[in-house]
Amino acid sequence: MSYHNPPTPPRKSATFDDHTLAEIRRAAATGIYDIRGGGTKRKVPHFDDLLFLGASISRYPLEGYREKCETSVVLGTRFARKPIELKIPITIAGMSFGALSGNAKEALGRGATLAGTSTTTGDGGMTDEERGHSQVLVYQYLPSRYGMNPRDLRRADAIEIVVGQGAKPGGGGMLLGQKISDRVAEMRTLPKGIDQRSACRHPDWTGPDDLEIKILELREITDWEKPIYVKVGGARPYYDTALAVKAGADVVVLDGVQGGTAATQDVFIEHVGMPTLACIRPAVQALQDLGLHRKVQLIISGGIRSGADVAKALALGADAVSIGTAALVAIGDNDPKWEEEYRALGTTAGAYDDWHEGRDPAGITTQDPELAARLDPVVAGRRLANYLKVMTLEAQTIARACGKNRLHNLEPEDLCALTMEAAAMAKVPLAGTDWYPGKGGF
Amino acid sequence: MPVFDLSATPLRALNSALHGLEQGTNDTRFEVVNPRGHHAVAVGIDSPVSVEVHGSVGYYCAGMNDGATVTVHGSAGPGVAENMMSGTVIVEGDASQYAGATGRGGLLVIKGNAASRCGISMKGIDIVVHGSIGHMSAFMGQSGHLVVCGDAGEALGDSLYEAKLFVRGSVKSLGADCIEKPMKPKHLEKLARLLEKAGVTGVQPEEFRRYGSARKLYNFHIDNADAY
Ligand SMILES: Cc1cc2nc3c(=O)[nH]c(=O)nc-3n(C[C@H](O)[C@H](O)[C@H](O)COP(=O)(O)O)c2cc1C
């Protein structure tokens, strides 16, 4: 009698899943790593793993519309003669003209200005449109120094020295030839159409002692007027924060692994950097150890999407947050209304990340004049302002529920964690317990 | 002529006096004594004044200079004339690392030697070194001219864009994508003018060799993977 195995459905490997197999084939076919935009797509412990407790018998809440909940924040109070005052603790992160179209940059400036907050230049220098439409503009000082000049330094409201980004701590920028238009090439002093790799280290300083002297120079050039931020990718947040402070920063910007990028190797985006959630407490601890929490301000970025995220970041000790990807989505990035065109590019709305190719149907991550013209900067600016308002209202709703008349009065005690990982990273108790990993020695 | 004694006067007083000078001001000549290795001496000047610094300076002397003539009668620390826009910076002695880094315009003259990474990421500045330069000089140089009357260290012009390099002596090694290129009459002319402006005498343009970008790394290509 012969024996037949009952048939089993085909089984795919968890290790060699479809995406992994496709990537192996892609690498074999092209011989070059995958480059893309956006942030890490893997799931990492995040603000979703925290909940607010709200008010109870021992804490009374504030009335929604009648009792004020202050949202403003002042950045750069340590050394700068002219600190920055923002109405809301949500800023627009640095994204370069070059990576983004002129219209997109203008829209970000308009939206930020309507909402009473700041926007930031990027790797590629400052454009007149951007300066003109941004009431408060932070000027990035990057390793490439493209377009860097003292005139723009003086017409900026703050200076952000970029040491790293969460999407690629230790990596430089990339802008591929398709996006190096005449104007972009001229601003960067580069030949048109080349695949441009920005430096990953600053050309004229290395290490915290040099950084201190660099900050002195920038302060002297700008007569100690402007707040100086130092932006680092999430890597060693305790020490990076302490060293930035030692070097003389007014503000530390800390960008976790979820942070977006215009174009980077996928392997870098997915495998280098610390989750945003894991960065905040060590950075706050460093500031507290130095007696400078709230004196040197901390801005957190990387995966901020909603007022709840804002409230959670602030509760853990940040002074403000910064958004990149969410701001682009608000002005129209990956909008399903372009689905047909996304399909033609071999992707779908919500997954489009070949920003380096400059063929963005939404006209945002492109230098193609026809595509760029699709984005109306006035309408898009209004959308961004709406979104920023909603985030602020959401954060206020939570703060009032926790009995706080200022967003900045939120505290870790207002939170609980849903997972052991989040409890360990945020140092707030696992829901239903009074314990988090590391507390009490185990 | 205003004189700033940095052993008695704070740096801030010097730099703020040098900024925002009214057009047509009579004070167009400044003197700095006892710089004692101070950092950020005479930075961010935005008018055509002249500054004589008597002694040696620390980091970033004449940083972001835009139009002034700054002379250091001594040696300069790292990043002298970094990101210069226009004007002239002269170092009578030696210069440390990153001299003229990211400079966009103007002329930097170093009468002694310059250390490593001279002209790193240069974007239009002209640099003339009477002596020799260290390793990794003109790394990622985008535009401008680097003239070296002596020798150059390892990896000259690594990942070079369109900066033009002229070296009279030996070059220890060339960096990725940097090659020797033929010296054409227009290069000899430019070189002669730079040598004259920099006060180099007894040296002929014909004694130099020219180096520039092979432009092979300008676009990603799998066959160049070893160089990335
Ligand atoms: C299109 C794009 C361009 C960017 N360009 C820069 C840049 O030029 N300099 C920089 O420091 N960060 C840059 N970033 C990173 C942002 O400043 C910020 O750190 C990040 O977007 C925050 O994370 P989020 O996108 O999850 O909000 C860029 C991000 C994006 C999405």
Side-chain angles (χ1 to χ4, degrees), chain A residues 37-40 46 91-97 99-100 105 120-125 140-143 160-168 173 179 188 231-232 253-263 276 300-305 322-328 355 364-365:
Chain A
T40 187
H46 198 34
T91 66
I92 306 301
M95 294 182 272
S96 72
F97 169 71
L100 300 187
K105 287 299 283 178
T120 312
T121 66
D123 202 4
Q140 286 200 328
Y141 190 76
L142 292 123
E160 180 168 299
I161 300 177
V162 179
V163 178
Q165 258 178 262
K168 47 177 171 183
K179 290 175 83 169
R188 298 185 185 215
K231 175 175 179 176
V232 292
V253 183
L254 191 46
D255 189 29
V257 75
Q258 295 101 314
T261 171
T276 305
I300 291 294
S301 60
I304 305 278
R305 304 150 299 176
S322 195
I323 58 168
T325 305
L328 299 186
W355 298 348
I364 295 171
T365 55

